[in-house]
């Protein structure tokens, strides 16, 4: 797997079905080479400062790619696009967990099941700073120094003071 910067003209030479991230007004371009069997995919995004996040699933079967407000998951064996989402805010982190994939944007958390269905999508009024895992808990930290704990088994959240709320799962 190799990610490299390319020119706009090189990007446009990649078949449209393989342009997996395409911003309306892209200024930066990259190719993601997943090997001879699957081939090359194109990325076109707007931000000059943000680099694509590329993470391989724990089982090695999926490559998760995100940049700006775009998220894609590509099945390594077949090249099939399993997730293609336009997000509300910029993607900041992709975290591979034992049974789930966590995606953090500025103001949302997505948890994907192994079959790529959404286990949970939760928006927040504050900007997220980090997510981490402690056992079967997902710790969500915010820039304002607040935090939430999400039980990955039940979908219940606790805020920093310990009160619980139930989060609807998708």
């Amino acid at each position: 797997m190799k990610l490299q910067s390319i020119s706009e003209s090189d990007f446009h030479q990649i078949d449209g079905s393989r342009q997996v991230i395409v911003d309306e007004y892209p200024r930066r371009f990259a190719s993601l080479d997943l090997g001879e069997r699957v081939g090359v995919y194109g990325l076109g995004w707007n931000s000059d400062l943000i680099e694509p996040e590329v993470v391989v699933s724990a089982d090695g079967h999926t490559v998760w790619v995100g940049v700006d407000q775009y998220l894609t998951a590509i099945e390594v064996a077949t090249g099939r696009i399993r997730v293609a989402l336009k997000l509300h805010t910029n993607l900041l982190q992709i975290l591979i967990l034992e049974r789930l994939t966590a995606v953090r944007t500025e103001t949302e958390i997505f948890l994907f099941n192994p079959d790529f269905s959404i286990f949970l999508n939760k928006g927040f009024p504050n900007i997220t700073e980090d997510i981490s895992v402690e056992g079967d808990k997902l710790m969500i930290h915010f820039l304002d120094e607040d935090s939430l704990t999400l039980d990955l088994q039940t979908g219940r959240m606790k805020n920093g003071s310990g009160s619980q709320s139930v989060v609807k799962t998708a």
Side-chain angles (χ1 to χ4, degrees):
M1 177 177 67
K2 183 178 177 185
L3 181 71
Q4 70 179 37
S5 292
I6 60 174
S7 68
E8 183 174 0
S9 63
D10 288 340
F11 174 79
H12 289 298
Q13 291 178 12
I14 297 172
D15 185 79
S17 66
R18 292 182 160 272
Q19 295 175 1
V20 294
I21 293 178
V22 184
D23 189 76
E24 189 174 355
Y25 302 104
R27 295 191 307 206
R28 294 194 54 207
F29 303 90
S31 65
L32 177 63
D33 188 343
L34 295 181
E36 191 174 317
R37 182 175 175 186
V38 178
V40 174
Y41 293 84
L43 313 175
W45 70 101
N46 191 22
S47 175
D48 288 327
L49 302 175
I50 298 174
E51 295 297 323
E53 175 104 2
V54 180
V55 180
V56 179
S57 64
D59 61 12
H61 294 176
T62 307
V63 174
W64 291 84
V65 183
V67 65
D68 286 349
Q69 295 179 352
Y70 298 93
L71 174 69
T72 300
I74 305 168
E75 199 172 87
V76 174
T78 64
R80 183 175 170 201
I81 308 302
R82 299 303 306 256
V83 173
L85 284 179
K86 172 79 166 98
L87 305 167
H88 291 104
T89 59
N90 287 330
L91 181 134
L92 299 174
Q93 184 179 4
I94 300 171
L95 183 62
I96 303 297
L97 308 175
E98 186 177 327
R99 295 177 311 275
L100 299 167
T101 298
V103 175
R104 176 177 69 94
T105 74
E106 290 174 334
T107 60
E108 288 181 283
I109 296 292
F110 290 88
L111 295 178
F112 290 89
N113 291 306
D115 68 357
F116 306 101
S117 63
I118 296 175
F119 171 71
L120 177 128
N121 172 240
K122 176 72 175 159
F124 304 107
N126 300 328
I127 295 177
T128 62
E129 181 177 31
D130 186 54
I131 56 174
S132 60
V133 177
E134 294 180 16
D136 60 355
K137 309 281 190 243
L138 182 71
M139 312 301 293
I140 306 164
H141 304 277
F142 299 91
L143 286 179
D144 66 2
E145 298 184 16
D146 197 9
S147 65
L148 291 172
T149 302
L150 171 68
D151 185 311
L152 294 170
Q153 302 295 319
T154 65
R156 292 189 181 272
M157 277 201 189
K158 291 183 181 179
N159 64 23
S161 65
S163 63
Q164 285 191 359
S165 64
V166 177
V167 178
K168 289 190 171 186
T169 57

